[in-house]
Amino acid sequence: MLKTLRENTIAAGVLTLIRLYLGYSWLTAGWGKLTGGFDSSGFLKGAIANPVKGPDGSMVYSMYVSFLKGFALPNVDIFNTIVPLGEFLVGLGLILGCLTTAAMFFGLVMNFSYIMAGTISHNPTDIILGAIILFAGFNAGKFGLDRWVIPFIKKTAKQDVPIKQNN
């Protein structure tokens, strides 16, 4: 199954459709935030005040809530920039099929962050589809810019860089 997902041309076509669907979702969410005066402080305060709780009433993601309280909220201006920009860039990468696995990895990081903050929405579906894209690797971007970008990166990375030694 994994071999088919990673190597089959028909699978690459299906992956392209999934990639375009997720990319459009991320791109429009990011664009809406970039152009709509996004402020994450209310969301962060809500996630801190109403953390996800287990059946026994205890916090499920206490380390994440501590991160929100100790770092994210005090640096809300940074998050007001990186969240919409990140969403937009993930969407752009997925739509163009450029650095597809990297874009999907960061999309999944954001999906899990939203879930740990208590937002369900369409995140579970996006996580399942995103995992398929991530597991497919290069084949997910085969019908996109990755067809040229990934070989270029591999070729460039393999070039020997002379190391100057001091004696």
Side-chain angles (χ1 to χ4, degrees):
M1 176 72 175
L2 191 57
K3 180 178 167 83
T4 301
L5 190 63
R6 291 177 156 260
E7 297 175 7
N8 185 283
T9 302
I10 294 170
V14 173
L15 291 163
T16 299
L17 295 175
I18 295 170
R19 204 185 75 223
L20 291 172
Y21 166 76
L22 288 174
Y24 179 78
S25 177
W26 280 111
L27 188 84
T28 56
W31 183 252
K33 289 177 177 79
L34 284 169
T35 59
F38 176 70
D39 181 10
S40 63
S41 60
F43 178 82
L44 294 172
K45 289 175 184 174
I48 293 165
N50 302 303
V52 176
K53 294 184 180 177
D56 63 353
S58 65
M59 273 195 283
V60 177
Y61 306 115
S62 58
M63 285 181 56
Y64 186 70
V65 172
S66 295
F67 165 76
L68 295 178
K69 192 184 303 183
F71 184 76
L73 194 56
N75 297 294
V76 72
D77 291 337
I78 294 170
F79 285 83
N80 288 342
T81 302
I82 64 171
V83 168
L85 190 59
E87 288 181 355
F88 183 80
L89 291 174
V90 164
L92 190 62
L94 291 174
I95 288 171
L96 297 176
C98 185
L99 303 175
T100 304
T101 53
M104 196 66 262
F105 170 79
F106 288 109
L108 287 170
V109 167
M110 286 189 282
N111 281 134
F112 279 110
S113 295
Y114 298 144
I115 283 181
M116 288 188 293
T119 302
I120 297 299
S121 185
H122 53 85
N123 288 306
T125 306
D126 289 358
I127 288 170
I128 291 168
L129 294 175
I132 293 168
I133 296 290
L134 197 62
F135 293 147
F138 172 77
N139 208 30
K142 183 176 183 176
F143 298 134
L145 294 179
D146 279 348
R147 177 181 286 250
W148 299 280
V149 171
I150 298 301
F152 175 78
I153 291 171
K154 285 181 178 180
K155 179 183 170 189
T156 305
K158 283 185 180 179
Q159 291 178 353
D160 290 334
V161 179
I163 299 172
K164 186 176 180 179
Q165 294 182 358
N166 296 330
N167 290 332

